[in-house]
Amino acid sequence: MSASKLVPMPADAPSHFYPQSLSVCQPNLMEDCDVLTPLTTYVLRPGERLEVGKYVPDPQGKDPSNPKYVPTALEQTTSLTLESSETVDDDADYETDGPPAAAAKEHVPGDSMDPFGPVTYKLIRPAEQKMAGSILFPVYYGAPSQKDRQDPRGLPQSINDSLHAHDRDNIAYDTYGVKAVNLNKLALFKIGPGAVAFRVVINAFEAGGLKYTPSNKYFNILWAKRATPAILGALKPYQKVNHFPGTWGIGRKDSLAMNIGKMKRQYGSAAFNIVPASFVLPKERDELAADLQEATEGGASPPTYIVKPSASSCGRGIKLYRGMPPMPKGPKTAVCQRYIGNPFLVGGRKFDLRMYCVVTGFDPLRIFLFDEGLVRFAAEKYPGPDRGLENTYMHLTNYSVSKTAELNRASRGKDEATDDPVDIKWCISDFKAFLATNHGAEKAQVMWSKILAEVHDVIIKMFLSIEAEVVTRLRSECSDPTGRNCFELYGLDLMVDDTLNVKLIEVNIMPSLATGATLDKAVKGRMLAHMLTLARPIPYVRNENGVVDESLFVPAGAYATGGAAERYYYPGVRGAPRGAVERNNIPFLTKFNNPQVKESMLSPREWLMLSEADEELRCAGGFAPVYPVAGVSQKYFPYFTQGVSRNNYLLASWTEMKDRAKR
């Protein structure tokens, strides 16, 4: 159902929201409309190269990710630089232990293209005629390696074809072609300094027709290690970056513990029991001592705690202790969590779930979860919560730890109680098949539904813990104050216990995209193709000087003024914010632009916001919406710590309207 049938376009809406998009300006490729001039002919120079698997250096030889790097005053105002940051990738599934062998040979994106031949784009047809078509990214696997050919499951494409045979079959698209050297019409990507040039990322961009550029001016998508105010404030209407500001509030172990702790204090421990009891040491030593005292009342044995460095990765520095652990020395901090002693076991082994989540907006909040992920096993059988604490192979599920153990691949489908070893890594589909084999199809469906419902609840509450902070920073740091230029991928590490309750262990805001195993190529290659399609990059036609005429766009300020500052309140739970009486518990709208209902009248900005959210759903593919979702959105309204913004209220109402229309 098209957006225009339920969301009437305001009379004062601009004639085109994307006036220079390829789908609007070039419906048919004609040789005489693809004019090249010296100013608009793009050539990748010899020095503008990426080395696969290596960190991308600064083009001028200065690396802004170096903590000692200090930009000049001119660079601070005109350059897109990256701040220093700690490692955030705790799924250190690297292709090799050192620099990849392929890194010795420079990889030049687009080398295989005819430099004067066509670049083909598949643009998804929008539901609303005034919206622009966005790029459809096909799944690309590259040439199979010897390891791929020897994998008993088959090649990466075979794995995906068997698990997801009808992937995105319902997406309608048109094909457009431009000359590979025509900067006016090319869609371009940049990998920012400090980020790793993962092969699977480069392949995903190029499969969609994008070409690499080192330029801060021409790119359509910047794949950066981190988005800083310098990056966010310089973004143009046609550009996107893969981070929001403020998400370090969940991306660091200590910040996640503090933010969830804040929500527990406001709303109660039961409402936000989504992470194991966590303490930032040494700051919260007294709170940890109180937790230990409570756990041992009546002569009970002391619980086991797991201690992790605040900003480490790959399982480095993780230790387990029964009772009070030692405090970190010097200026170092650590996160101490109550150990989950009753994990769900497969073949006697612990595992965690690596699931991929994408947020396409915080104002309004829009969360998607991918239908596939990874199941990562401990290398040795689990002995219980108080035994073998020094043996990391029994207790840790980090792939970088477990990959050193020799596990065979012959155990798929074996009974849960078997003594045979299991694979070191599965995908989510394998886990669901295991449940069906061992518990029957009907019970397996009930079990997975419970797990998934818990995962959704964890994800929504996790993002609500930083929603107010991120929105505040969007207003102050972004060239468009709603953050329409941003999207972000998260790697979530989740633990399932033997009662099918789910706890969030860690959040990675720059998850590893290395593809050392064939299964990684299948899962991560498909996930990236779907994620980039969901992000809706739009190829723009630039003018004769190679830039987009920004005067033709809706002014950036128009997206965040007026009703966007309005807040509604739903004080239905302890600690929920309260506002004026007339702003409390307002029901969902049942119709837009109803003159009898003031709240229903849409501005052009709000019409655009709803239409863009609708187009995202058409592009989501394997990413299922987690929030807002009909029937559950209002349940979380009380947990918006500053009240519910008008944008969130309108989008939730729109979601309910579409659900009623469908039924």
Side-chain angles (χ1 to χ4, degrees):
M1 183 173 293
S2 70
S4 57
K5 290 183 179 179
L6 291 180
V7 186
M9 185 180 67
D12 57 348
S15 59
H16 289 301
F17 286 110
Y18 298 105
Q20 290 190 314
S21 70
L22 193 62
S23 58
V24 170
C25 294
Q26 194 192 14
N28 297 295
L29 176 63
M30 300 287 291
E31 281 296 321
D32 58 358
C33 75
D34 202 25
V35 178
L36 304 181
T37 72
L39 287 176
T40 63
T41 300
Y42 180 76
V43 178
L44 189 64
R45 296 174 178 82
E48 300 171 351
R49 295 169 181 245
L50 294 176
E51 292 186 50
V52 174
K54 291 291 191 73
Y55 287 96
V56 178
D58 182 87
Q60 284 76 42
K62 295 175 291 187
D63 182 4
S65 66
N66 185 331
K68 296 181 180 180
Y69 170 66
V70 178
T72 65
L74 179 62
E75 288 173 329
Q76 288 176 333
T77 57
T78 63
S79 175
L80 302 185
T81 60
L82 292 171
E83 294 176 350
S84 63
S85 58
E86 293 85 355
T87 300
V88 298
D89 181 5
D90 287 329
D91 177 37
D93 183 2
Y94 298 114
E95 294 173 355
T96 66
D97 291 329
K105 180 180 182 296
E106 289 182 320
H107 174 85
V108 184
D111 263 358
S112 58
M113 294 183 191
D114 175 357
F116 291 94
V119 175
T120 301
Y121 299 99
K122 292 182 178 179
L123 301 188
I124 298 175
R125 295 175 188 169
E128 169 56 50
Q129 62 179 354
K130 293 186 180 299
M131 301 297 288
S134 55
I135 299 174
L136 172 68
F137 289 82
V139 184
Y140 177 74
Y141 302 99
S145 66
Q146 183 177 359
K147 183 188 293 186
D148 295 335
R149 297 184 188 280
Q150 295 173 346
D151 194 295
R153 298 188 61 155
L155 299 178
Q157 183 171 351
S158 301
I159 295 173
N160 279 338
D161 287 346
S162 65
L163 298 176
H164 307 282
H166 302 288
D167 211 23
R168 301 192 292 186
D169 285 349
N170 60 339
I171 293 182
Y173 57 86
D174 294 309
T175 301
Y176 297 81
V178 301
K179 289 186 176 180
V181 290
N182 195 339
L183 181 61
N184 279 29
K185 301 181 179 72
L186 284 178
L188 304 172
F189 75 96
K190 176 179 180 178
I191 297 182
V196 178
F198 285 116
R199 182 181 291 103
V200 70
V201 175
I202 296 172
N203 286 345
F205 278 127
E206 291 187 342
L210 278 71
K211 292 190 68 177
Y212 173 72
T213 177
S215 169
N216 289 332
K217 181 169 63 172
Y218 297 135
F219 68 81
N220 294 79
I221 295 185
L222 170 62
W223 189 264
K225 184 175 182 179
R226 191 178 185 187
T228 66
I231 291 174
L232 297 167
L235 290 172
K236 304 303 182 184
Y238 56 89
Q239 294 178 320
K240 296 206 174 207
V241 65
N242 65 321
H243 291 294
F244 290 91
T247 55
W248 278 83
I250 56 175
R252 279 183 58 109
K253 300 177 185 70
D254 51 356
S255 298
L256 174 65
M258 289 188 289
N259 276 304
I260 299 301
K262 174 191 68 178
M263 300 299 278
K264 284 185 175 182
R265 290 189 293 274
Q266 181 169 347
Y267 295 103
S269 295
F272 274 80
N273 187 26
I274 62 173
V275 300
S278 303
F279 310 92
V280 179
L281 302 180
K283 178 182 177 182
E284 296 181 331
R285 185 187 187 283
D286 292 343
E287 290 85 345
L288 172 60
D291 182 77
L292 177 59
Q293 181 178 354
E294 181 182 350
T296 54
E297 286 181 356
S301 299
T304 298
Y305 293 96
I306 183 167
V307 180
K308 309 175 185 181
S310 294
S312 186
S313 62
C314 311
R316 288 187 292 263
I318 298 179
K319 293 185 178 181
L320 284 78
Y321 301 92
R322 287 201 71 191
M324 194 71 171
M327 294 298 107
K329 298 179 180 179
K332 295 181 179 180
T333 62
V335 173
C336 175
Q337 290 182 329
R338 181 83 78 89
Y339 188 60
I340 298 175
N342 61 325
F344 191 100
L345 301 178
V346 172
R349 285 182 172 80
K350 281 183 61 177
F351 66 90
D352 71 359
L353 303 178
R354 162 54 65 91
M355 303 191 78
Y356 296 102
C357 173
V358 168
V359 172
T360 56
F362 274 89
D363 184 27
L365 183 62
R366 305 188 302 282
I367 309 170
F368 295 82
L369 182 67
F370 196 50
D371 61 7
E372 197 63 273
L374 298 171
V375 183
R376 306 173 304 182
F377 291 95
E380 297 182 11
K381 288 192 174 183
Y382 180 62
D386 55 357
R387 298 178 60 189
L389 300 186
E390 72 288 345
N391 188 342
T392 57
Y393 293 144
M394 294 178 176
H395 294 278
L396 299 188
T397 56
N398 304 65
Y399 180 77
S400 55
V401 173
S402 300
K403 71 180 180 181
T404 60
E406 295 183 2
L407 300 177
N408 69 41
R409 297 176 178 273
S411 62
R412 191 179 313 281
K414 294 293 182 68
D415 183 81
E416 185 174 355
T418 181
D419 288 331
D420 292 337
V422 298
D423 292 350
I424 196 169
K425 186 185 291 186
W426 285 357
C427 63
I428 295 292
S429 294
D430 294 331
F431 179 64
K432 291 191 285 187
F434 167 83
L435 293 178
T437 300
N438 288 272
H439 300 280
E442 186 174 345
K443 185 178 179 181
Q445 180 61 44
V446 173
M447 294 172 71
W448 178 248
S449 295
K450 183 181 187 304
I451 292 172
L452 194 59
E454 292 250 335
V455 170
H456 284 201
D457 185 66
V458 166
I459 289 173
I460 296 169
K461 289 177 176 176
M462 173 190 75
F463 284 116
L464 288 176
S465 74
I466 61 169
E467 181 264 348
E469 169 66 16
V470 173
V471 170
T472 298
R473 292 188 61 174
L474 290 176
R475 297 285 188 267
S476 62
E477 297 179 18
C478 291
S479 57
D480 186 307
T482 62
R484 289 174 65 248
N485 301 94
C486 304
F487 66 97
E488 191 156 29
L489 169 69
Y490 304 86
L492 310 180
D493 294 345
L494 302 141
M495 188 74 69
V496 182
D497 69 19
D498 58 11
T499 65
L500 303 185
N501 290 320
V502 176
K503 291 290 189 292
L504 175 67
I505 305 302
E506 292 178 10
V507 181
N508 296 283
I509 62 175
M510 200 68 178
S512 170
L513 295 171
T515 50
T518 304
L519 185 61
D520 289 315
K521 291 182 181 179
V523 172
K524 296 177 183 180
R526 176 172 170 266
M527 182 274 294
L528 276 171
H530 286 232
M531 182 207 66
L532 292 173
T533 302
L534 172 62
R536 298 189 68 245
I538 296 168
Y540 286 89
V541 178
R542 303 166 178 86
N543 63 23
E544 66 275 8
N545 295 315
V547 297
V548 172
D549 184 357
E550 296 177 43
S551 68
L552 298 178
F553 288 85
V554 179
Y559 296 127
T561 56
E566 297 180 15
R567 293 277 168 170
Y568 305 94
Y569 301 90
Y570 296 81
V573 301
R574 165 194 150 178
R578 297 172 181 269
V581 174
E582 64 272 15
R583 291 281 173 166
N584 284 340
N585 298 316
I586 297 178
F588 286 130
L589 297 169
T590 58
K591 182 181 179 182
F592 289 128
N593 291 343
N594 179 359
Q596 306 302 316
V597 182
K598 176 185 175 182
E599 301 287 346
S600 73
M601 301 305 292
L602 298 178
S603 69
R605 175 197 60 81
E606 291 165 344
W607 180 90
L608 174 62
M609 179 270 293
L610 294 174
S611 297
E612 286 187 328
D614 211 42
E615 297 295 346
E616 279 181 355
L617 292 173
R618 293 167 52 81
C619 299
F623 279 93
V626 173
Y627 191 90
V629 176
V632 300
S633 298
Q634 198 163 8
K635 168 186 174 182
Y636 295 96
F637 275 8
Y639 301 114
F640 282 82
T641 59
Q642 303 298 322
V644 177
S645 72
R646 176 166 169 80
N647 284 345
N648 279 294
Y649 171 71
L650 290 176
L651 184 56
S653 293
W654 173 221
T655 302
E656 298 292 337
M657 287 185 209
K658 290 190 294 182
D659 184 63
R660 284 195 301 272
K662 185 186 300 182
R663 288 186 279 110

